[in-house]
Amino acid sequence: MLSAILVAVIATMSTWWVSHVITRTWLYPLWAGFLVALAMGQPVEGMKAAAYIQLTYLGWITAGGTMPGNLMVAGVFGTALTLVSGADPSLAPTFAVPFSLLGILSFQAYMTINSIWIHKADKYALEGDLTKLRFMNYVPSGILSFILNGIPAFILVYYGGDVTTRALAAIPTSIITAFSVVGALMPALGIAMLLSYLSKKKIVGFFFAGYFLTVYLHLDTMAITIFAAIIGVLIYFFTTDKKTGVAE
């Protein structure tokens, strides 16, 4: 029971904003899986399983709004199922990948529903009610993370892998299809949000500067980033009033 509760807390925290405040490493299976291993009293075997899962996602990146897998879910659920089933740690990726793919759907649901609290927070911000504003920013998302991540993690550890497998199979196909469609639209939305900034007169010049630096000078992204940082610092110092600290 205690192990199931602790793993449920870890699963909840892995997606909630608190985990990012503590450390960004919470995102990765090596750390999340290690915490699960400690909670289940098998640190050595759990760490091995987490390491195998981490190897699977070494090249993981969310570019332009795409999400090839949910690392938090992979680390927590993959490690937990490996320990519950008593399987060899080398088989951990086999358990983690299906959970990771399902985690994409749960994360999309999490972010979509969380937009409700954002609109509520905007309303309280206009009213000047900071207490309710903070509540909407912090609490509802934690409760939602507990429902989507904590409860399934508790069931997995407390009742075993068979119950979890049957529960996953019971999810209606229509729901999975709906979230898949939403997931396919998210990358386009993310790219559109980035491109919307290019219409700004003060920014579009930097876009073309970066483009020509790449095409004609064959500079890589890191070199352009360094030059951009230097230019940004120079612009700040040469356009800011030293007495008032306000841009001229």
Side-chain angles (χ1 to χ4, degrees), residues 81 99 102 152 155-156 158-173 176:
L81 185 55
F99 279 113
L102 184 63
I155 294 173
L156 171 62
Y158 189 75
Y159 293 102
D162 293 338
V163 174
T164 305
T165 302
R166 290 197 298 270
L168 294 177
I171 298 176
T173 305
I176 296 178

Side-chain angles (χ1 to χ4, degrees), residues 25 42 51 58 81 111 145 174 179 188 216 235 238:
T25 57
Q42 302 181 59
L58 282 179
L81 185 55
M111 298 301 290
S145 181
S174 58
F179 280 119
Y216 291 102
I235 291 175
F238 283 102

Side-chain angles (χ1 to χ4, degrees), residues 5 22 41 44 104 116 121 146 166 192 194 198 204 215 220 223 235:
I5 293 175
I22 298 174
V44 177
I104 298 175
I116 298 174
F146 175 72
R166 290 197 298 270
L194 294 175
L198 296 181
V204 67
V215 175
D220 56 24
I235 291 175

Side-chain angles (χ1 to χ4, degrees), residues 206 226-239:
F206 292 100
I226 294 173
F227 281 119
I230 294 173
I231 294 172
V233 172
L234 292 175
I235 291 175
Y236 173 78
F237 282 115
F238 283 102
T239 60

Side-chain angles (χ1 to χ4, degrees), residues 114-124:
N114 274 339
S115 63
I116 298 174
W117 327 133
I118 295 174
H119 293 303
K120 289 287 186 181
D122 289 339
K123 175 185 175 183
Y124 292 131

Side-chain angles (χ1 to χ4, degrees), residues 82-163:
T82 302
L83 297 179
V84 166
S85 62
D88 188 273
S90 62
L91 297 177
T94 306
F95 301 133
V97 171
F99 279 113
S100 176
L101 296 176
L102 184 63
I104 298 175
L105 303 180
S106 67
F107 187 77
Q108 290 165 358
Y110 178 71
M111 298 301 290
T112 301
I113 298 174
N114 274 339
S115 63
I116 298 174
W117 327 133
I118 295 174
H119 293 303
K120 289 287 186 181
D122 289 339
K123 175 185 175 183
Y124 292 131
L126 292 174
E127 296 175 357
D129 194 333
L130 295 181
T131 301
K132 292 182 180 179
L133 171 64
R134 295 190 183 99
F135 180 86
M136 283 297 163
N137 280 332
Y138 301 144
V139 178
S141 59
I143 297 174
L144 183 60
S145 181
F146 175 72
I147 295 173
L148 295 177
N149 302 299
I151 294 178
F154 177 87
I155 294 173
L156 171 62
V157 176
Y158 189 75
Y159 293 102
D162 293 338
V163 174

Side-chain angles (χ1 to χ4, degrees), residues 163-213:
V163 174
T164 305
T165 302
R166 290 197 298 270
L168 294 177
I171 298 176
T173 305
S174 58
I175 294 179
I176 296 178
T177 302
F179 280 119
S180 297
V181 173
V182 173
L185 295 175
M186 292 302 289
L189 177 61
I191 294 173
M193 292 174 65
L194 294 175
L195 292 176
S196 66
Y197 289 99
L198 296 181
S199 60
K200 310 285 184 184
K201 293 181 179 179
K202 294 182 179 180
I203 299 178
V204 67
F206 292 100
F207 168 77
F208 286 108
Y211 173 79
F212 287 115
L213 285 173

